[in-house]
Amino acid sequence: DRQVSRYQPVQHHFPMVYGIGRAGLPPSAPPQRRAQALQLKAYLMFFDQLLANHYAQLANMEKLFSFGDETSDSYFSQPVPDDGTLALDEVRVKSADEHATALQRITEQPLDVDASAAPDEASRLRRRNRFLDHLLARFGEQFRDYSLLQGGLHAQPAARDAQLARDKRAFLRDYPAIGLNRGTAFDCLERTDGPVDNISGLELTLRRKLGIAAPEERFYLVEHVLLRPVPGDANQHGPLLRAARLRDPYSLQITFVFPRTPVRYADPDFKAFVERTVNEETPAHIAVTVAWKDDAGMQAFRDAYRRWTGELRAGRLRELGIEP
């Protein structure tokens, strides 16, 4: 720990003749001379405070460049330290705690906001979002289009910026897994309804890119290659894949199934953004289909998907000689 926030006031560096350092003034100094020393201390406090705040800002860089910190703080302050030798309490008009509180309030607020008002939360969140944008840019990622669409979904700027910050942090926290598993599929030998999400790297990427956290907004990714007939299908009489549009409906093809009813998906601009993001993130050699289902259709698909993945897992385990 380099104790970056540790600051020594410049008043300690003045010659003793000024009478503002540790030595102070002799007992014989007249009241006028003592008043002059206090006046100089008050004048120097402005510059000391600016430098002390710079040290505090630097000490909190790890918070500003963190994607684990959920606060909206963006400007930091600290009172000018006094070990008792500078007698700065004679200059301050508030107690130490009140002074620190007032100092942080005027440090974080914009200058055009009344000092008695609450801090401008939207401004703080915008500044924190800019730090998160910097971290995203380091990986060649951006949430610019996504952030523009959030404006129509949140009436309050603070609510919009808070949601943006949460989505960016979630993406950055999962980026090691996103990068590592970008080309991997879900594990068909593991349960898909277990406590841990068993999803492909592409699905995780899209969840974070689209800010999907609510269960009602979840989508499904189906790899057509897993729909190929298996030996157990030989005795079936109905069509195995209805309304196939290609001679080979299995190779290098995937389908995304999205719910149509959540508020965000009902917005045509956001719906177009979803489809564009799906196509941008999917590898170029894979053909993509996006299907939108209403509540009844989504429930029917969800039930069928669970049955299918359960049967798929059981069949593969039996092929390996393992009883599911």
Side-chain angles (χ1 to χ4, degrees), residues 30-82:
Q32 181 181 359
R33 180 70 184 89
R34 294 184 181 279
Q36 289 173 338
L38 282 174
Q39 188 178 40
L40 180 57
K41 285 183 181 182
Y43 173 76
L44 292 172
M45 276 278 287
F46 286 100
F47 304 98
D48 264 331
Q49 189 60 66
L50 287 173
L51 289 170
N53 283 4
H54 280 306
Y55 278 57
Q57 191 76 9
L58 186 62
N60 282 279
M61 289 300 289
E62 62 176 357
K63 178 181 287 188
L64 293 173
F65 282 103
S66 167
F67 42 80
D69 182 78
E70 298 288 339
T71 65
S72 62
D73 299 335
S74 57
Y75 289 154
F76 301 92
S77 65
Q78 62 177 342
V80 176
D82 182 11

Side-chain angles (χ1 to χ4, degrees), residues 218-236:
R218 295 287 175 87
F219 61 89
Y220 291 86
L221 188 160
V222 179
E223 301 174 61
H224 290 204
V225 70
L226 296 177
L227 299 174
R228 290 176 303 178
V230 296
D233 296 324
N235 298 322
Q236 293 194 26

Side-chain angles (χ1 to χ4, degrees), residues 185-194 196-200 203 207 218-224 226-227 254-258 293 296-314:
F186 86 103
D187 188 351
C188 64
L189 298 181
E190 296 291 335
R191 295 178 61 90
T192 57
D193 56 351
V196 179
D197 282 346
N198 176 19
I199 59 176
S200 66
E203 185 172 346
R207 280 191 187 183
R218 295 287 175 87
F219 61 89
Y220 291 86
L221 188 160
V222 179
E223 301 174 61
H224 290 204
L226 296 177
L227 299 174
I254 59 176
T255 292
F256 291 89
V257 181
F258 281 87
K293 300 288 185 180
M298 198 67 192
Q299 185 58 50
F301 178 85
R302 191 178 293 114
D303 294 340
Y305 182 84
R306 291 194 183 114
R307 291 195 303 270
W308 170 66
T309 52
E311 292 293 335
L312 178 66
R313 175 176 175 270

Side-chain angles (χ1 to χ4, degrees), residues 151-167:
L153 300 173
H154 296 281
Q156 298 298 327
R160 176 199 63 206
D161 293 329
Q163 184 61 52
L164 275 174
R166 284 193 294 269
D167 293 338

Side-chain angles (χ1 to χ4, degrees), residues 71-289:
T71 65
S72 62
D73 299 335
S74 57
Y75 289 154
F76 301 92
S77 65
Q78 62 177 342
V80 176
D82 182 11
D83 57 3
T85 60
L86 294 179
L88 295 182
D89 288 339
E90 299 179 24
V91 179
R92 297 169 178 148
V93 297
K94 297 187 177 186
S95 67
D97 291 340
E98 291 175 333
H99 175 75
T101 301
L103 180 63
Q104 181 58 32
R105 187 172 66 245
I106 63 176
T107 300
E108 185 71 59
Q109 285 191 148
L111 293 177
D112 58 347
V113 176
D114 179 15
S116 64
D120 185 355
E121 187 73 7
S123 296
R124 298 164 66 169
L125 287 164
R126 280 196 297 271
R127 289 192 287 267
R128 289 303 293 269
N129 268 294
R130 287 200 293 270
F131 280 100
L132 293 170
D133 288 338
H134 170 85
L135 295 175
L136 288 167
R138 287 173 174 260
F139 301 106
E141 302 286 354
Q142 55 86 18
F143 272 59
R144 183 178 60 254
D145 296 338
Y146 176 77
S147 63
L148 291 174
L149 289 168
Q150 296 307 300
L153 300 173
H154 296 281
Q156 298 298 327
R160 176 199 63 206
D161 293 329
Q163 184 61 52
L164 275 174
R166 284 193 294 269
D167 293 338
K168 291 173 184 177
R169 290 188 186 104
F171 181 86
L172 288 164
R173 281 195 293 266
D174 282 337
Y175 197 79
I178 289 172
L180 177 66
N181 301 322
R182 185 175 294 273
T184 62
F186 86 103
D187 188 351
C188 64
L189 298 181
E190 296 291 335
R191 295 178 61 90
T192 57
D193 56 351
V196 179
D197 282 346
N198 176 19
I199 59 176
S200 66
L202 176 59
E203 185 172 346
L204 176 60
T205 302
L206 290 171
R207 280 191 187 183
R208 296 297 173 256
K209 280 272 191 175
L210 300 174
I212 295 174
E216 63 269 16
E217 293 185 346
R218 295 287 175 87
F219 61 89
Y220 291 86
L221 188 160
V222 179
E223 301 174 61
H224 290 204
V225 70
L226 296 177
L227 299 174
R228 290 176 303 178
V230 296
D233 296 324
N235 298 322
Q236 293 194 26
H237 302 291
L240 293 177
L241 191 62
R242 187 173 58 184
R245 293 178 295 178
L246 301 174
R247 184 177 181 181
D248 176 7
Y250 305 108
S251 302
L252 302 177
Q253 297 174 64
I254 59 176
T255 292
F256 291 89
V257 181
F258 281 87
R260 185 182 296 167
T261 52
V263 175
R264 290 201 304 169
Y265 296 150
D267 180 7
D269 292 332
F270 191 80
K271 183 177 178 181
F273 171 73
V274 168
E275 295 182 353
R276 184 171 68 251
T277 304
V278 165
N279 281 279
E280 288 175 350
E281 295 297 329
T282 302
H285 65 285
I286 295 178
V288 181
T289 300

